[in-house]
Amino acid sequence: GADVNTQLDLQRDYSGTRLFVLTMDERDVQSLTGGIEAAETALATHIPHELHFEGIQSEEDGYSATFTMSFADLDEYETKLQA
């Protein structure tokens, strides 16, 4: 299965960035129709506009897909999370 981890970088003015990293085991990727290339295309095409897709990287036991969400203040952060 896939696993998602997040990291929040919050500045004093409450602006910041939230990093989302989705990790996929090699066995799970093999079951995808079209493989990792199709997954990368689908993620890039269907990502919510609140997120920036940084691509998929090969890892030791599979792949990781990285997304970032930048925000100017806490109100924008909450709005983007609820989208």
Side-chain angles (χ1 to χ4, degrees):
D3 185 36
V4 178
N5 291 301
T6 69
Q7 181 177 349
L8 179 63
D9 179 23
L10 189 62
Q11 305 301 312
R12 288 182 182 258
D13 66 356
Y14 298 106
S15 66
T17 304
R18 183 129 208 182
L19 177 72
F20 300 86
V21 179
L22 168 76
T23 56
M24 300 167 279
D25 188 88
E26 177 67 38
R27 290 172 289 165
D28 295 323
V29 171
Q30 291 175 1
S31 69
L32 296 173
T33 301
I36 197 67
E37 294 82 11
E40 187 160 24
T41 299
L43 289 170
T45 302
H46 300 289
I47 187 171
H49 72 272
E50 293 83 8
L51 295 176
H52 172 72
F53 177 54
E54 297 183 15
I56 296 179
Q57 296 79 35
S58 179
E59 303 289 343
E60 186 174 320
D61 294 326
Y63 295 88
S64 65
T66 304
F67 307 85
T68 55
M69 181 182 75
S70 298
F71 51 93
D73 54 39
L74 289 178
D75 288 336
E76 183 181 22
Y77 175 72
E78 290 177 357
T79 299
K80 286 184 172 185
L81 280 181
Q82 295 174 8

